[in-house]
Amino acid sequence: MKILSVVSVLCSFSLLVHAQTDSDTEMTMSFQKIYRNSYPALNYTYNRYSNTHDYSGNWDFDGDGLPDKLFFTGNNGAHVYYHLIIVLSSDDVLRDFRWLYIDFPALGDKSELNKPVDDATYFPQFVVDDFDGDGVKEIYISLDTLKWPIPDVWKKHGVNSRRLLLKYNKGKILVENYKPGVMRSPADH
């Protein structure tokens, strides 16, 4: 009878520890508390089961006047890296950028990109803004190219920087090197 009591107590303790760990993990991985103060109107959820940060419904990347879907999905590694997924409202096609890995998919501010190069190279890793002044939002990503190198197919298109800008143009999401301080006019497109 004593053994049964000990096993019962240990099982109860194990469930309590497991529940606490899941809750701690969700709170550690989620940016919900940060966003309540810094971006109170931001649509954001974190799903601990799929390890996904969901930013859907915040920005219009394709210029159709409707908000698009944007996710960062984790690789479930010991050190989690997240890759970018975009679904545009204009075509509902899932664009899975499995080579665009970052380890901290928290929304940053464009003003943070004006830091000295060494600091801005690492943080922020994710910013959404109208970088080229055409009235449509673009996505800035600073990737971890040491662990996840740029694929050769993208290098052939001139992508060779860890600091990238993703923008919509004629039905496609274009990826290009981010050039700090360079603003193009809408006529340059």
Side-chain angles (χ1 to χ4, degrees), residues 56-121:
S56 299
N58 290 296
W59 307 287
D60 177 15
F61 300 114
D62 55 9
D64 67 355
L66 300 171
D68 299 308
K69 296 177 184 171
L70 185 146
F71 309 92
F72 284 98
T73 301
N75 65 351
N76 296 320
H79 179 106
V80 181
Y81 284 89
Y82 299 87
H83 73 274
L84 178 66
I85 297 173
I86 301 171
V87 179
L88 300 174
S89 58
S90 58
D91 61 15
D92 206 33
V93 172
L94 185 132
R95 291 166 174 86
D96 195 349
F97 295 91
R98 290 201 171 260
W99 62 278
L100 288 177
Y101 274 101
I102 61 176
D103 63 352
F104 196 69
L107 181 63
D109 187 86
K110 183 178 171 180
S111 66
E112 296 175 277
L113 300 177
N114 295 328
K115 296 176 183 176
V117 175
D118 289 344
D119 293 338
T121 300

Side-chain angles (χ1 to χ4, degrees), residues 130-135 138 167 181-189:
D130 181 7
F131 288 91
D132 59 9
D134 67 353
E138 290 87 28
K167 56 193 259 171
V182 176
M183 294 288 286
R184 289 188 302 263
S185 70
D188 291 340
H189 293 282

